[in-house]
């Protein structure tokens, strides 16, 4: 098993096999690609385009998929059917791929929720396809990922919404077909980890459905989860994933977590008791690199 980190600042942290960097966050701001990192592009979440071109926002029964509505969207969603916006994002992706990066990860590649989108473009595209709504949406998302895959030579990962049961019905995510196209699938399984029962169930369910490498992202940013809870989540995620990604967003949180885990005998014992060899190997590696253990 590998270990990764997700950051919203351009920094490579030693000791992590995968460093993910949000080069196009949901704010819609375009940042400078980070060499040697996995650059993360938020595809259909874009709070800038939603302001500048409000007609591109996804809709359902007269409701727009933006922040501040009853649906509590965390960011504004652009309709995935709009060719002009798809071309805009693909151009961004191709420009990033020209840099010396480790690879690309596509985030927010889906419809905002069930019922979206019923804008005039979607209605017409669907009518012309002759498919039912669910199948047509899945094809729209699949074709976007395929177009990206064919336009860049680098490794490509895809983040999907953390719903292992109804991703297709709710978001237009046909997990099996999408997994065929990309190099790995990632899911953010964000919770407080005081209880890891649900983490275990969801991770298990995804693992059974994904034949490609499967990455699990654990939330480790502000507000900080107690490290013992995060360690407990790590031992669960390690059982199902090919890579666990610590989403700390800030580099200094990731660095302090590395130091804290290596120097805390209780953390080693926790993994030993659960026979979590993968995490013990990672701690051992960090210990050799930083030499901060009191073990
Ligand atoms: Zn639409």
């Amino acid at each position: 098993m590998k270990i990764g980190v997700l950051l919203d600042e351009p920094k490579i942290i030693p000791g992590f096999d995968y460093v993910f960097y949000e080069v196009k966050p949901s704010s819609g701001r375009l940042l400078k690609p980070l060499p040697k990192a996995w650059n993360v592009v938020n595809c259909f979440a874009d709070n800038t385009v939603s302001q500048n071109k409000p007609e591109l926002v996804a809709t359902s029964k007269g409701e727009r998929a933006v922040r501040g509505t009853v649906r509590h969207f965390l960011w504004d969603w652009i309709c995935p059917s709009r060719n002009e916006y798809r071309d805009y994002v693909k151009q961004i992706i191709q420009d990033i791929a020209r840099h010396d990066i480790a690879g690309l990860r596509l985030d927010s590649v889906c419809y905002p929720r069930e019922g979206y989108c019923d804008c005039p473009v979607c209605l017409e595209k669907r009518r012309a396809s002759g498919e039912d709504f669910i199948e047509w949406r899945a094809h729209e998302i699949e074709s976007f990922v395929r177009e990206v895959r064919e336009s860049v030579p680098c490794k490509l990962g895809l983040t999907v919404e953390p719903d292992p049961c109804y991703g297709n019905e709710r978001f237009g995510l046909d997990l099996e077909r999408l997994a065929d196209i990309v190099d790995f699938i990632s899911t953010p399984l964000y919770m407080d980890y005081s209880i890891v029962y649900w983490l275990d169930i969801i991770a298990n369910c995804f693992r059974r459905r994904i034949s490609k490498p499967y990455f699990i992202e654990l939330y480790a940013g502000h507000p900080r989860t107690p490290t013992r809870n995060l360690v407990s989540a790590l031992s669960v995620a390690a059982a199902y994933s090919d890579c666990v990604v610590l989403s700390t967003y800030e580099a200094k949180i990731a660095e302090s977590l590395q130091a804290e885990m290596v120097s805390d005998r209780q953390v080693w014992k926790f993994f030993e008791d659960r026979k979590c060899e993968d995490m013990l190997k990672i701690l051992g590696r960090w210990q050799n690199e930083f030499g901060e253990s009191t073990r």
Side-chain angles (χ1 to χ4, degrees), residues 56-59 79-82 111 116-123 136:
L56 294 182
V57 170
T59 60
C79 168
S81 309
R82 304 300 186 97
Y111 287 84
Y116 288 87
C117 175
D118 63 5
C119 76
V121 173
C122 282
L123 293 180
W136 167 77

Side-chain angles (χ1 to χ4, degrees), residues 98-132:
R98 277 190 268 278
H99 291 74
D100 179 26
I101 58 171
L104 274 163
R105 194 181 87 186
L106 308 178
D107 282 25
S108 54
V109 190
C110 60
Y111 287 84
R113 211 67 67 79
E114 56 267 54
Y116 288 87
C117 175
D118 63 5
C119 76
V121 173
C122 282
L123 293 180
E124 176 50 30
K125 268 190 163 182
R126 183 201 158 193
R127 193 195 59 74
S129 76
E131 294 173 327
D132 77 41

